Amino acid sequence: NIIIIVYLGREKMKVNGNSGAEKNVLSAIGSNFLGRAPRWYKILIISYLIINPILFAINPFVAGWVLMAEFISTLALALVCYPLPSGGLLAIEAVVIGMTSAEHVYHHVVDNFPVLLLLMFMVAGIFFMKELLLFIFTRLLVSVRSKILLSLIFCFLGAFLSAFLDALTVTAVVITVAYGFYGIYHKYASNKGDRQAKSIKDDDGIDEIDREDLNNFRGFLRNLMMHAAVGTALGGALTLVGEPQNLIIGKQMGWDFIQFFKECSPVSVPVFFAGLVTCVLTEVFKILGYGYQMPENVRKVLEAEVKRTSEDMDVKTIGRYIAEAAAGVFLIIALALHLAEVGLVGLTIIILVTSFTGVIEEHHFGEAFTESLPFTALLVVFFTIVAVIADQGLFKPIINVVFGMDGKHQILAFFIANGVLSAISDNVFVATVYITEVVAALKGGIIDQLQADKLAVATNMGTNIPSVATPNGQAAFLFLLTSTLAPLIRLSYLQMMKLALPYTIIMTTVALIATYYNL
């Protein structure tokens, strides 16, 4: 088929008087490869694809680490090219050359199916509640003038909600709200005078003054998003339901909700307060990109929007708000009590909200899934890299070193090893590997129950706290990086690492001290 297509294209070009058909077809294929990505990026990905088979034939272990570094680089360059095509090519090649198998990839996908189900349905469910969320948070944004207090509110809310809800759900809420904020001002700035409305991705035609306000507003939203994202990690470490790996650890150790909190609180509670203090310090001293204030012009636009929505509110609008609020209450209760798998709760939210708000057109449902499905596909690609890590035993040397220690040194080594590996890999996978080894050591009589409990706490805190250092350390961070909001507010991989650095240093240090003295 490919030969026929190329032949017909060449014959058509000959008829049109073009003798360089072959060259033109090859040029078109090269131009189409990764679309509008820069030439250097295309060459980089091609070089990866050429190097990997050669390196795998020489040293599979080294090739595995190189592949992981290559995949991380596609995440780091997410604003240049969405990492699904380029990272997907690396994943496909890994399966083809034998670094892992399609069966093992499928196994990891099935193990993480609840997370995929969550992304598919819960994020879409939040989309249908955005009208109420924007109504509430816009009023919060314009009523709280102190950036420090507002940052603390976003961080605390992220932590509180993530302690009982899933961090991805909380992140989806915050992304929806911030996207709405940005859209309100961008629409105003791009429609002043007689100009036509621009795409939300397009700044052309915006006045210099408005452009400066827009850039400052981007910085303001970046700050709030990072405070909220770190908050999800703080709250996620506190409870059994805070993160998926917490459930795995609790199940392996036989801990219920109360016992999990009791065992982890000597470390998780000090870290929680250290995170809130860090939030305040970053804004007071404007550390590493924090300290952006909301421009007065933006505040006036948002205040005008609040006034307009209040004046335009009719009985139908109030009815929609009531339906969305009722669905929100059901969401919190259902997730807190684990009435069903999180993704199924999300599907229930979609059905309830759309049924009682009059959303019945098919294209509205399609729009709701545009945010979640690309990331769902990217996560499946990521599980392929995780399968390579498992099959090539990339973490085995580190695991052997850690289990060669004893006492407090072993506990600290567990925390550090889990933290480092979670920052570059999947924290659920890392926690699963380490807690399985802990239970095996306990059953084999290598360690006693007290040491096993301490190692389980170190595993929980290690996978939750130091992993905030990079966007690929936590699914919520990666979701934020690859969301439609990130390019709008200029939130890149390196920008996220820079903004997370103060939190990483302070929270990890406090966690290490608490681990040493309290466990």
Side-chain angles (χ1 to χ4, degrees), residues 405-478:
M405 301 178 180
D406 54 20
K408 282 190 177 292
H409 293 101
Q410 187 180 53
I411 298 171
L412 290 175
F414 250 74
F415 176 85
I416 294 170
N418 276 273
V420 171
L421 296 178
S422 292
I424 61 176
S425 179
D426 174 37
N427 50 12
V428 177
F429 170 74
V430 173
T432 302
V433 169
Y434 272 87
I435 200 64
T436 301
E437 294 288 342
V438 169
V439 172
L442 176 62
K443 291 179 178 179
I446 300 174
I447 58 176
D448 58 21
Q449 184 64 53
L450 181 61
Q451 183 72 356
D453 290 343
K454 292 178 179 180
L455 291 177
V457 174
T459 300
N460 172 60
M461 297 308 299
T463 54
N464 276 295
I465 300 305
S467 58
V468 303
T470 66
N472 47 294
Q474 297 210 9
F477 280 47
L478 188 58

Side-chain angles (χ1 to χ4, degrees), residues 182 186 200-206 211 214-215 218 490:
Y182 183 85
H186 190 278
I200 196 171
K201 300 177 182 179
D202 188 4
D203 290 353
D204 291 341
I206 297 179
R211 192 187 295 266
L214 187 62
N215 286 332
R218 284 181 175 126
R490 308 298 189 260

Side-chain angles (χ1 to χ4, degrees), residues 92-336:
I92 291 171
E93 183 183 59
V95 173
V96 170
I97 65 178
M99 298 181 82
T100 187
S101 66
E103 290 77 15
H104 287 176
V105 174
Y106 180 73
H107 173 73
H108 284 280
V109 171
V110 171
D111 285 346
N112 288 276
F113 184 68
V115 178
L116 301 178
L117 201 64
L118 181 156
L119 282 167
M120 286 187 284
F121 294 131
M122 184 59 77
V123 175
I126 297 301
F127 174 87
F128 288 111
M129 297 173 62
K130 67 178 182 179
E131 187 179 15
L132 177 64
L133 292 171
L134 193 57
F135 177 82
I136 295 172
F137 278 90
T138 305
R139 278 153 180 76
L140 174 67
L141 200 66
V142 298
S143 59
V144 179
R145 287 189 165 268
S146 170
K147 171 68 181 307
I148 296 172
L149 179 58
L150 194 63
S151 299
L152 200 56
I153 290 173
F154 268 71
C155 188
F156 178 80
L157 283 177
F160 178 78
L161 292 174
S162 292
F164 301 99
L165 310 179
D166 185 88
L168 280 169
T169 304
V170 178
T171 305
V173 170
V174 182
I175 288 173
T176 301
V177 169
Y179 192 93
F181 291 157
Y182 183 85
I184 290 170
Y185 184 72
H186 190 278
K187 182 178 179 180
Y188 161 81
S190 60
N191 281 282
K192 290 179 70 174
D194 297 326
R195 288 195 297 269
Q196 296 295 315
K198 304 291 182 183
S199 163
I200 196 171
K201 300 177 182 179
D202 188 4
D203 290 353
D204 291 341
I206 297 179
D207 291 340
E208 195 64 35
I209 294 176
D210 292 326
R211 192 187 295 266
E212 184 179 350
D213 285 339
L214 187 62
N215 286 332
N216 287 328
F217 191 41
R218 284 181 175 126
F220 177 83
L221 291 177
R222 281 198 303 269
N223 291 173
L224 292 185
M225 292 304 299
M226 285 303 297
H227 290 313
V230 173
T232 64
L234 289 172
L238 285 170
T239 66
L240 181 67
V241 298
E243 290 286 349
Q245 67 265 29
N246 299 16
L247 287 167
I248 294 170
I249 294 169
K251 182 179 179 180
Q252 291 277 14
M253 300 304 298
W255 295 344
D256 58 18
F257 189 94
I258 300 299
Q259 189 176 1
F260 184 94
F261 178 79
K262 182 180 176 182
E263 294 286 348
C264 295
S265 59
V267 183
S268 62
V269 172
V271 170
F272 172 76
F273 286 107
L276 296 182
V277 171
T278 306
C279 175
V280 173
L281 292 177
T282 56
E283 292 296 337
V284 170
F285 296 103
K286 301 181 179 180
I287 301 171
L288 294 176
Y290 287 102
Y292 278 93
Q293 299 295 321
M294 183 193 296
E296 274 305 311
N297 288 337
V298 176
R299 184 179 296 279
K300 289 177 182 177
V301 171
L302 294 179
E303 288 174 346
E305 178 67 14
V306 169
K307 183 179 179 181
R308 185 191 66 78
T309 53
S310 298
E311 291 174 349
D312 293 347
M313 190 179 298
D314 54 15
V315 177
K316 276 195 170 183
T317 303
I318 294 173
R320 290 198 303 271
Y321 286 166
I322 292 173
E324 291 176 22
V329 172
F330 168 77
L331 171 66
I332 294 172
I333 294 172
L335 293 182

